[in-house]
Amino acid sequence: MTAAPHRTDPTAGATDVALLRTAVAVARRARAAGNHPFGALLTGPDGAVLLEAENTVTTERDATGHAETNLVRLATARYDADFLRACTLYTSTEPCAMCSGAIYWGNVGRVVYALGEDGLLAMTGADEKNPTMALPCRDVFAAGQRPLAVVGPVDLPEAREVHAGFWD
């Protein structure tokens, strides 16, 4: 497989990078629990972490149990739409099309991700456990009726390392 180029979105700040590292730690927990190595967290307008969610596809036997979708379910049950528009979702890997739809309809205002979907595809290939779609989250969000800020990819070696050996 050809490796995707490592690159960093120049708009990512030091706080974004630190919070992405936390999302990768959540992904490590998901992997340790027997799930796919993806993790996400939600921060409030002040940057405080409000919620975390792991991928639960395997343990819950739910194809929609992606970290971001699980996080949006938790967030929309606890917070109103106006508040969520001022929040940021941090994720270890670029949201897939399904998760991007959930993020959009969940009214989250900003997304920051580490590993791009193209980088994940370069690592997983045609693995049936991760049928990656070549549909960037920015394209999904751009089809919506409200703006949603996106920062990513952010080149963090640990965002790739959490996948090492998992898809073999």
Side-chain angles (χ1 to χ4, degrees), residues 10-148:
T11 63
T15 299
D16 291 332
V17 171
L19 289 164
L20 284 173
R21 286 195 166 105
T22 302
V24 171
V26 175
R28 272 192 212 95
R29 286 198 323 253
R31 182 175 177 166
N35 288 296
H36 300 175
F38 301 99
L41 57 95
L42 184 75
T43 62
D46 63 356
V49 176
L50 303 173
L51 298 167
E52 294 181 353
E54 301 173 11
N55 177 291
T56 57
V57 167
T58 303
T59 56
E60 297 292 323
R61 298 178 49 103
D62 178 1
T64 68
H66 293 196
E68 300 91 343
T69 302
N70 288 339
L71 186 70
V72 170
R73 284 186 192 114
L74 292 170
T76 57
R78 294 185 188 176
Y79 304 107
D80 67 33
D82 288 335
F83 179 77
L84 289 170
R85 279 188 202 96
C87 292
T88 299
L89 186 149
Y90 289 87
T91 182
S92 60
T93 306
E94 182 175 3
C96 71
M98 175 186 70
C99 292
S100 295
I103 292 164
Y104 176 80
W105 282 303
N107 292 300
V108 174
R110 182 173 178 253
V111 171
V112 181
Y113 67 89
L115 181 64
E117 189 79 356
D118 57 345
L120 179 63
L121 179 59
M123 293 170 53
T124 65
D127 192 301
E128 66 184 33
K129 294 182 290 186
N130 190 51
T132 302
M133 298 177 98
L135 183 57
C137 68
R138 282 179 174 86
D139 292 353
V140 176
F141 299 143
Q145 296 179 11
R146 68 172 178 85
L148 202 154

